[in-house]
Amino acid sequence: MLSRFFGGRRAFDSLSEQEILALAISSEEDDGRIYRAYADGLRDGFPQSAKVFDAMADEEDGHRAALIELHRARFGERIPLIRREHVRGYFDRKPDWLVRPLGIDHVRNQAEAMERQAQRFYEEAAKRTGDASTRKLLGDLAAAEQSHESLAHRLEQKFVPDNVRQEERLSEKRQFILTYVQPGLAGLMDGSVSTLAPIFAAAFATHDTWQTFLVGLAASIGAGISMGFTEVASDDGKLSGRGSPVKRGFTTGIMTTVGGLGHALPYLIPHFWTATGLAAAIVFVELWAIAWIQNRYMETPFWRAAFQVVLGGALVFGAGVLIGNA
């Protein structure tokens, strides 16, 4: 009954010395795989940092080999199947595909957390064994995990000097802009500006807030779908280096929809002039936000960006009002 309540996991204190060694072996194997996955994920864009994680994976392989030799000497060839998910309260590991995209700082922080957790495990495991050779190896591994921070630092000094690190940060920022900021900005601009005319034309033609909301909802979702598929089909990212077309498509589509819904949602308010005033205020904020994003990420001079976006938005807004009052 209790095992069912705890999901069938064993308490760490209940593990035998053989099971502790088996858990350490599987954990080192998992960590080596994670480091190699980090290296593979970074290799194309950040080859020097990939070498750091290759070296750390080799270090984990050495730990695993030493643990297997100790297990063979004490308990024989058969290693029990016990993994971290079988032990209650044991630290978790996220596979690399759950933490993508693999940003440089993110994987470095992730690696530091992994080493701290492994160090605590070996310290606790060493307390639970009475065999001198096992206790010595576990204590040595705890010290090795504690020293991995300096190892990683030495490896980075070797493979990733300051000039390379700076280049990698610039490359990472450039990739983020190409994959997310540019498509998102294009979508936000299209959603915010292109939907102004139909929404405000419907508003002033009908003075019906619900009908206006439906027009805005349809225009926003339709524009989002259209922009998303257009972005996916326009460039596979292989030659341009703009990244995954699916990521760009989702980013563009979502931001296009958000841009249109921003000034469509106020028409859920039944009172026409209250809804229209709030929608107009949101349009004002949206356009200035777009100008700020262009200045912040695209390095467009702020007043030039503001002139282009705000003037264009004002013209489309005015066209919608005029057509609605015709």
Side-chain angles (χ1 to χ4, degrees), residues 16-29:
S16 66
E17 290 189 14
Q18 184 183 16
E19 289 170 331
I20 288 175
L21 281 178
L23 178 60
I25 290 168
S26 66
S27 297
E28 291 289 353
E29 184 177 2

Side-chain angles (χ1 to χ4, degrees), residues 165-213:
R165 184 188 292 262
Q166 184 65 22
E167 289 175 5
E168 288 186 342
R169 289 187 185 277
L170 290 174
S171 178
E172 184 178 28
K173 179 181 178 182
R174 190 181 308 113
Q175 190 63 57
F176 174 75
I177 290 174
L178 290 174
T179 304
Y180 294 102
V181 176
Q182 277 189 351
L185 182 61
L188 185 61
M189 289 179 65
D190 186 84
S192 298
V193 175
S194 68
T195 58
L196 286 175
I199 290 175
F200 285 99
F204 282 91
T206 65
H207 283 252
D208 185 324
T209 57
W210 177 246
Q211 295 299 322
T212 302
F213 169 73

Side-chain angles (χ1 to χ4, degrees), residues 289-313:
I290 292 170
W292 179 85
I293 294 172
Q294 282 189 319
N295 173 255
R296 173 69 175 79
Y297 291 100
M298 311 305 295
E299 298 182 358
T300 304
F302 180 77
W303 291 111
R304 189 175 80 185
F307 177 78
Q308 293 172 342
V309 174
V310 176
L311 178 61

